[in-house]
Amino acid sequence: MSVERRKFLKLAGLTALGLAGGASPRALTDDSSTIDTTAATPEGPSGPLTAKRWAMVVDVKKCQEHGRCDDCKVACHLVHNVPDFGNPKDEIKWIWKESFEHAFYDQENEHLPEELKHTETPVLCNHCDNPPCVRVCPTQATWKREQDGIVMMDWHRCIGCRYCVVACPYGSRSFNWRDPRPHIMKTQLDFPTRMRGVVEKCTFCEERLVRGELPACVTACKAGALVFGDLEDPDSEVRKLLAERFSIRRKPGLGTQPEVYYLV
Amino acid sequence: MLEHALRGDRRYWSWVIALMALIGMGTLFYLRQFNEGMGITGLGRDITWGLYIAQFTFMVGVAASAVMVVLPYYLHNYKEFGKITILGEFVAIGSVLVCVTFVFVDIGQPFRGPNIFLYPTPNSLMFWDTIALGGYLVLNVIISHITLGAERKGIAPPKWIKPVIILSIPWAISIHTVTAFLYAGLAARPFWMTAILAPRFLA
């Protein structure tokens, strides 16, 4: 009797090992991780927008002069089916307004211009050149796109371990703590919804770029405070702005090389 | 050997039933979390890793501590510890299983867990922690299986098991240091970002 049970346990253990072992070599050779998103999407009249390194410049002054508005956040969260749970604990944010002292707490001097002290500035995923979230992800569900530096996210591969949420110094990654679908104001059918238990974040509107459109927040900003362009192109507007005016980035000391610049 | 676990007096069975009731309760609450999402645990934007991961880390420590029982006998030849080495190995197996369970309940899409093996990522320390813990489990299952079998027959364990046991000693240290590296390599968390974290975990 006891021998049979022992044999059974041994066999069961070996079978489980065999299943795990048999599955992994197939996955190693599977190349489906590099999906070409540009292929299947219909192109706009002007063709897709491409760049060697996408970057964003936020003109804090223009944003502040326009007064307190939430247009960028509203537009972004609408087109990307971002839910609103109505409580800060479960909140999911792709772009949002943060007070200057919270966004730049390590660069704040004691005596700042009054208007800067009380200003709010939009913050989003910085699409870092050296993204800590990509380094820690155990499944490569998030990665930096070779061709234009956008930090992408695969919601179907993410296991929801939240290592990336812990690793991101900017709080740019949100976890779906509960089912988001019932909390979406108006579901857009041309963009996927997410399920509970996965991480999501801003993708620099890569789905709009392939249609030849600028990111939703940039289009929505009436003040023209958000400028989007190619950092590698010396004639681009972002490069001109960065050459003309002094800019800062969030937590530069961590070495992540954020690609969202703030003109102060 | 398993039939010994199915024999016992009244007190034994009431203890087993009490533990089963606790496990059943935990399973029911977990099913609720599985259906409604992790939000019901109280975790949220500001606290993304909580009690689950803390417990996981603690149980990694318990698993590694099993080596403290094995080490005097095999490395220092301290004969009095001979009898309890098997116990130490079973403590390690139990703790690693508890660790894996804590990780399982802490991830948002637990059934996608095998993705860690399907898309191996050497740059992620979570991948290495999985390797370290999985390897430690396999080592201890082999060791305890062989040594317990030899103990039962009243003979000395085969010679080839000795190097495996010796390997399990640095491996036990590795499970706790790699778990510490998982936290220590994050620039975003200054409190954890210290080279002393791994020795502190071991101590």
Side-chain angles (χ1 to χ4, degrees):
Chain A
M1 184 65 187
S2 68
V3 176
E4 273 169 28
R5 205 180 280 123
R6 268 165 69 98
K7 260 190 185 161
F8 170 76
L9 284 172
K10 263 188 207 168
L11 265 175
L14 284 175
T15 314
L17 271 177
L19 280 175
S24 42
R26 217 174 341 120
L28 279 171
T29 52
D30 185 7
D31 223 3
S32 61
S33 54
T34 51
I35 302 160
D36 186 10
T37 42
T38 47
T41 323
E43 290 175 11
S46 53
L49 294 177
T50 53
K52 287 224 172 61
R53 187 62 180 94
W54 286 119
M56 189 177 279
V57 172
V58 180
D59 193 328
V60 179
K61 220 169 197 158
K62 271 188 188 169
C63 177
Q64 172 209 342
E65 275 164 7
H66 196 258
R68 302 212 163 183
C69 87
D70 248 346
D71 288 354
C72 51
K73 179 182 174 178
V74 171
C76 169
H77 287 190
L78 178 74
V79 300
H80 295 123
N81 294 325
V82 175
D84 182 9
F85 293 106
N87 74 68
K89 183 180 89 67
D90 298 322
E91 202 176 9
I92 288 174
K93 300 192 270 197
W94 284 34
I95 182 171
W96 70 101
K97 298 283 274 291
E98 197 68 78
S99 69
F100 190 83
E101 62 170 338
H102 284 162
F104 299 98
Y105 77 89
D106 54 345
Q107 298 174 58
E108 207 203 12
N109 297 330
E110 201 179 335
H111 301 290
L112 281 174
E114 268 308 301
E115 70 269 19
L116 214 53
K117 250 191 217 169
H118 302 295
T119 191
E120 281 198 327
T121 176
V123 291
L124 65 157
C125 170
N126 284 288
H127 295 275
C128 306
D129 239 3
N130 182 19
C133 52
V134 170
R135 199 176 44 134
V136 299
C137 179
T139 61
Q140 294 156 48
T142 187
W143 70 97
K144 198 180 97 175
R145 216 155 66 166
E146 291 284 328
Q147 69 263 34
D148 53 12
I150 294 182
V151 176
M152 297 286 291
M153 179 76 217
D154 185 343
W155 300 308
H156 298 280
R157 192 187 284 188
C158 175
I159 61 172
C161 69
R162 309 188 299 292
Y163 201 5
C164 59
V165 183
V166 176
C168 176
Y170 308 104
S172 302
R173 292 179 157 264
S174 305
F175 183 72
N176 284 284
W177 292 103
R178 48 193 71 220
D179 187 10
R181 281 165 191 149
H183 299 276
I184 299 170
M185 292 288 177
K186 192 170 174 289
T187 306
Q188 306 296 311
L189 296 175
D190 59 351
F191 198 79
T193 56
R194 272 75 64 193
M195 69 194 300
R196 66 180 183 278
V198 297
V199 171
E200 59 180 81
K201 70 169 199 76
C202 154
T203 59
F204 261 177
C205 280
E206 57 89 23
E207 84 285 356
R208 288 168 63 91
L209 295 175
V210 294
R211 293 200 300 253
E213 297 169 60
L214 280 170
C217 54
V218 177
T219 321
C221 181
K222 288 188 206 72
L226 303 175
V227 182
F228 189 73
D230 188 357
L231 207 65
E232 299 277 306
D233 174 13
D235 299 320
S236 66
E237 206 186 340
V238 285
R239 279 289 289 275
K240 276 183 202 152
L241 279 169
L242 290 176
E244 279 166 19
R245 290 174 59 187
F246 181 68
S247 59
I248 55 172
R249 292 188 285 179
R250 295 181 69 198
K251 301 187 185 177
L254 299 182
T256 57
Q257 302 296 339
E259 295 297 353
V260 176
Y261 297 78
Y262 292 85
L263 304 174
V264 288
Chain B
M1 226 174 286
L2 214 61
E3 67 264 15
H4 290 298
L6 300 174
R7 270 206 303 265
D9 55 8
R10 245 185 118 81
R11 277 177 63 213
Y12 172 76
W13 279 110
S14 36
W15 177 237
V16 168
I17 288 166
L19 290 178
M20 286 292 182
L22 275 178
I23 293 172
M25 213 159 83
T27 312
L28 283 180
F29 278 116
Y30 176 68
L31 286 178
R32 209 182 135 198
Q33 178 197 315
F34 185 78
N35 282 325
E36 288 179 34
M38 290 196 66
I40 65 163
T41 59
L43 295 168
R45 262 197 94 79
D46 295 330
I47 302 156
T48 46
W49 278 355
L51 206 57
Y52 285 150
I53 289 293
Q55 288 289 329
F56 156 75
T57 313
F58 175 73
M59 291 313 284
V60 171
V62 174
S65 76
V67 80
M68 287 301 149
V69 183
V70 178
L71 196 138
Y73 178 68
Y74 287 104
L75 231 51
H76 303 304
N77 217 17
Y78 189 71
K79 293 281 179 261
E80 276 82 355
F81 267 45
K83 289 283 177 200
I84 60 166
T85 51
I86 296 170
L87 204 63
E89 282 139 11
F90 274 101
V91 166
I93 295 176
S95 318
V96 173
L97 289 179
V98 175
C99 287
V100 175
T101 314
F102 269 119
V103 173
F104 183 84
V105 297
D106 189 58
I107 60 180
Q109 288 294 332
F111 292 110
R112 290 186 194 165
N115 279 2
I116 295 180
F117 303 106
L118 296 175
Y119 310 103
T121 314
N123 54 286
S124 171
L125 268 160
M126 199 171 279
F127 170 73
W128 290 111
D129 210 12
T130 318
I131 302 270
L133 277 173
Y136 192 62
L137 181 63
V138 170
L139 276 180
N140 275 293
V141 167
I142 294 172
I143 294 168
S144 57
H145 179 77
I146 298 293
T147 50
L148 190 63
E151 175 84 24
R152 186 178 169 225
K153 290 178 194 130
I155 53 168
K159 269 214 172 85
W160 62 264
I161 197 72
K162 189 86 191 271
V164 184
I165 295 170
I166 300 292
L167 174 67
S168 82
I169 292 169
W171 204 293
I173 296 169
S174 89
I175 61 167
H176 223 184
T177 43
V178 174
T179 305
F181 294 161
L182 194 143
Y183 305 111
L186 303 170
R189 308 280 151 173
F191 186 68
W192 295 341
M193 206 192 173
T194 160
I196 203 75
L197 200 66
R200 199 184 274 161
F201 271 24
L202 281 173

